[in-house]
Amino acid sequence: MTDSRNLFNKVWDLHACQTLPSGQDQLFIGLHLIHEVTSPQAFAILRERNLKVAYPERTVATVDHIVPTQSTARPFVDLLAEEMMSAIEKNCRDFGIRLFDLVDNRQGVVHIVGPEQGLTLPGMTIACGDSHTSTHGAFGSIAFGIGTSQVADVLATQTLALARPKVRKVEVTGQLKPGVYAKDVILHIIRKLGVQGGVGYAYEYAGDVFDRMSMEERMTVCNMSIEGGARCGYINPDQTTVDYIQGRPFAPQGEEFERAAKWWLSLASGKDAQFDDVVVFKAEEIEPTVTWGITPAQSVGVKETLPTISSFPADDQKVISEAFQYMDLKEGQPIQGLKINVAFIGSCTNGRISDLREAARIVKGRHVAAGVKALVVPGSQLVRKQAMEEGLDKIFEEAGFEWRGAGCSMCLAMNPDKLQGNEVCASSSNRNFKGRQGSPTGRTLLMSPAMVAAAAVTGAVTDVRELE
Amino acid sequence: MVQAITQVTGSAVPLLLDDIDTDRIIPARFLRCVTFDGLGEHAFEDDRIQDPAHPFNKAQFQGGKILVAGRNFGCGSSREHAPQALMRWGIQAIIAESYAEIFFGNCVSLGIPCVRASRADLEALTKLISADPRTSVAIDLLAQTVTAQSEGGQQLKANVEIPPGARQSLTTGGWDFLGQLLDGEPKVRAQVAKIPYLQKFAVAT
């Protein structure tokens, strides 16, 4: 008999320990990732209640949000950051949790480190006090962000109380046009389904476009599920997944790997799998996409002009007007040619080696435009090392980019990397919220790393295809 | 067991905007902390600086217990600092058109009921409390209603919704899940034996 459950429900069923009085399930969490920002108060809860960490080997810690990308000398200049760093060091020591700290070359942005180390595996439930935990869904796991009270729940019990969401299949079929990247695919999906279209759903990304993607591209897509309101997004495991995992430090080895791979592949949603909803997009309709507003759904293709306020439904017009006002942009103006002040390549969305290679390919032999500050922040120390072995750092530095250490950097500005005043930043990160990049009046344009590279060398939003 | 929450009554703060993300509720620079103490005074800090008319700036809305918001409230970052900041500012319940999921879950964990109301009812409620900030607003989680009574005698009654799991947890004092999860330990152990990656991939599925 074939299993008509989709991957999400197979994995959920396997981890559901019992139904709680609220009707929610008590769900076992296979991998818990923690970082310095959302964990200290959770450890405080454990201490208050005199609790231990139930499965210390199933939690892994690293540091990323507050890490300075220029000098990691201790103590940090920012004493608040230093206090947080000391707190996670002490908490991991006291509770027996593995920590990839700054002197460990496995340190990096938590969502880059998990897959890189082979901690992230198909069929797992993965939680982290960070909304971009959806990244790990690229492996066919159920991965989602949680708050600090829930971090305490996982530490103390390795479980969470959760209601099962519905599952929407988001299919993209056909051939992507040249210059269109995974980032453009997810920005397009969010633009079409809206920033709250995914609330109450997990997204299964399916179709030949995702089948052909590398694991790194799949991670970019799943990473931004939360920007479309879906707490969790995933892609079915296939041979690409298995090949990526093989040989990674924490992945199963030898015969165990063979058994694992067989199980992983068996989890994929079958042809007759059931979904609560299905939407289909054509790959050919996706353009290099740039956000112009203050939510990740407020985007246009690079050749388009900005929409008019009146083209939106009445209920949406207030937030659209707010976006135009904050961004200081006009209805109907082209996005191409919009001047930028800063270019940022990095983040859990686009800070992987393939992102840096693609950006380097665009900047090679060119130079950052006058007056533009441009920085490249590898997502992990190992990504940085790999890039340097390939000479990418030289390409970036010769082009006038700053080559930094690993961390979250200017994606969220909890560290020294911040926009100033109302600067406009071409950014490969995930959020263009008001003030997101550290200046309360700073402005963010989200785009693919290649498009950021193109903007950096021309000083304005540019169709990367014109530089090829 | 924590306290059962069946109703919240008090004055309200109107903030009928859509897609308010948690970076706006509490800007990231205030997350450089190891406790949640003191977050209340920074709630909506950048919005308040840029907009002197922001309701959190206005004397007449200080002491408000119920926040009235729009669609997709609390989207973006999972930071529990956001509901912690609102709670420490004085907010005890939220009425909005809809919520982002992680924010909603964080609120339940803190005992902050988040109920949904229709746009039309939210607009009517906003009008009432803007005209008379001393309007008393009451959310009843059992009846799933909101009632408002202005000092001038104007009244409003509307239906609200809250998902059954959250409603059950809040109204029975079961919203601090940690105790229940700890009690489930024998069932967790039994489940662990069935999960392939916890058993070297040597269990039949």
Side-chain angles (χ1 to χ4, degrees), chain A residues 298-328:
Chain A
Q298 292 165 347
S299 66
V300 289
V302 66
K303 293 294 182 205
E304 288 179 67
T305 55
L306 302 194
T308 57
I309 296 169
S310 63
S311 67
F312 288 88
D315 275 359
D316 294 346
Q317 291 183 11
K318 201 164 160 186
V319 68
I320 295 292
S321 305
E322 191 186 353
F324 273 111
Q325 194 185 356
Y326 181 83
M327 296 299 289
D328 194 22

Side-chain angles (χ1 to χ4, degrees), chain A residues 432-443:
Chain A
N432 52 342
F433 297 155
K434 284 183 170 182
R436 170 74 180 183
Q437 291 189 285
S439 164
T441 51
R443 295 172 285 171

Side-chain angles (χ1 to χ4, degrees), chain B residues 65-150:
Chain B
K65 286 186 185 170
I66 295 170
L67 183 64
V68 179
R71 191 181 57 195
N72 199 27
F73 188 73
C75 58
S77 160
S78 64
R79 60 189 70 169
E80 190 170 302
H81 307 67
Q84 288 276 0
L86 294 176
M87 184 173 79
R88 284 157 201 271
W89 189 85
I91 297 299
Q92 295 177 12
I94 307 174
I95 311 175
E97 193 177 341
S98 60
Y99 302 89
E101 227 165 294
I102 303 176
F103 177 84
F104 181 90
N106 286 341
C107 285
V108 175
S109 293
L110 298 178
I112 304 171
C114 294
V115 299
R116 293 180 62 158
S118 73
R119 192 77 180 191
D121 287 335
L122 288 166
E123 280 169 0
L125 185 60
T126 297
K127 207 169 149 191
L128 194 63
I129 56 184
S130 300
D132 184 355
R134 286 165 300 181
T135 297
S136 175
V137 179
I139 300 170
D140 186 329
L141 294 178
L142 295 171
Q144 300 199 64
T145 57
V146 57
T147 50
Q149 168 96 38
S150 77

Side-chain angles (χ1 to χ4, degrees), chain A residues 14-15 49 78 149 200, chain B residues 32 71 80 101 176 191 197:
Chain A
L14 184 63
H15 291 81
R49 301 197 186 193
D78 178 353
S149 297
Chain B
R32 287 152 51 246
R71 191 181 57 195
E80 190 170 302
E101 227 165 294
D176 177 2
Q191 198 63 32
Y197 61 84

Side-chain angles (χ1 to χ4, degrees), chain A residues 113-130:
Chain A
V113 168
E116 194 171 72
Q117 289 302 317
L119 290 161
T120 301
L121 298 175
M124 272 184 169
T125 43
I126 302 177
C128 173
D130 191 286

Side-chain angles (χ1 to χ4, degrees), chain B:
Chain B
M1 274 311 229
V2 284
Q3 184 199 351
I5 300 165
T6 54
Q7 52 180 335
V8 179
T9 305
S11 57
V13 187
L15 189 71
L16 192 47
L17 296 170
D18 296 329
D19 301 324
I20 297 282
D21 58 74
T22 53
D23 273 86
R24 286 173 72 176
I25 298 173
I26 186 79
R29 62 184 179 278
F30 300 115
L31 272 55
R32 287 152 51 246
C33 56
V34 294
T35 74
F36 292 122
D37 301 341
L39 286 178
E41 62 187 285
H42 300 299
F44 290 112
E45 180 141 318
D46 291 341
D47 280 11
R48 288 161 66 186
I49 291 169
Q50 287 166 40
D51 178 13
H54 193 282
F56 274 52
N57 281 337
K58 289 190 171 173
Q60 63 265 40
F61 295 119
Q62 304 303 308
K65 286 186 185 170
I66 295 170
L67 183 64
V68 179
R71 191 181 57 195
N72 199 27
F73 188 73
C75 58
S77 160
S78 64
R79 60 189 70 169
E80 190 170 302
H81 307 67
Q84 288 276 0
L86 294 176
M87 184 173 79
R88 284 157 201 271
W89 189 85
I91 297 299
Q92 295 177 12
I94 307 174
I95 311 175
E97 193 177 341
S98 60
Y99 302 89
E101 227 165 294
I102 303 176
F103 177 84
F104 181 90
N106 286 341
C107 285
V108 175
S109 293
L110 298 178
I112 304 171
C114 294
V115 299
R116 293 180 62 158
S118 73
R119 192 77 180 191
D121 287 335
L122 288 166
E123 280 169 0
L125 185 60
T126 297
K127 207 169 149 191
L128 194 63
I129 56 184
S130 300
D132 184 355
R134 286 165 300 181
T135 297
S136 175
V137 179
I139 300 170
D140 186 329
L141 294 178
L142 295 171
Q144 300 199 64
T145 57
V146 57
T147 50
Q149 168 96 38
S150 77
E151 292 214 324
Q154 279 194 293
Q155 289 187 354
L156 178 151
K157 182 166 182 175
N159 293 324
V160 296
E161 280 176 30
I162 179 163
R167 180 164 166 258
Q168 197 276 349
S169 306
L170 290 163
T171 58
T172 60
W175 48 271
D176 177 2
F177 294 104
L178 186 46
Q180 296 173 42
L181 296 175
L182 285 165
D183 290 344
E185 202 271 336
K187 287 178 172 151
V188 174
R189 221 173 331 135
Q191 198 63 32
V192 161
K194 298 178 196 163
I195 299 176
Y197 61 84
L198 301 175
Q199 307 300 335
K200 299 191 177 299
F201 300 94
V203 290
T205 51

Side-chain angles (χ1 to χ4, degrees), chain A residues 276-292:
Chain A
D276 299 286
D277 190 30
V278 178
V279 291
V280 183
F281 296 104
K282 286 199 180 86
E284 292 76 9
E285 290 172 1
I286 305 175
E287 290 292 321
T289 301
V290 182
T291 67
W292 60 268

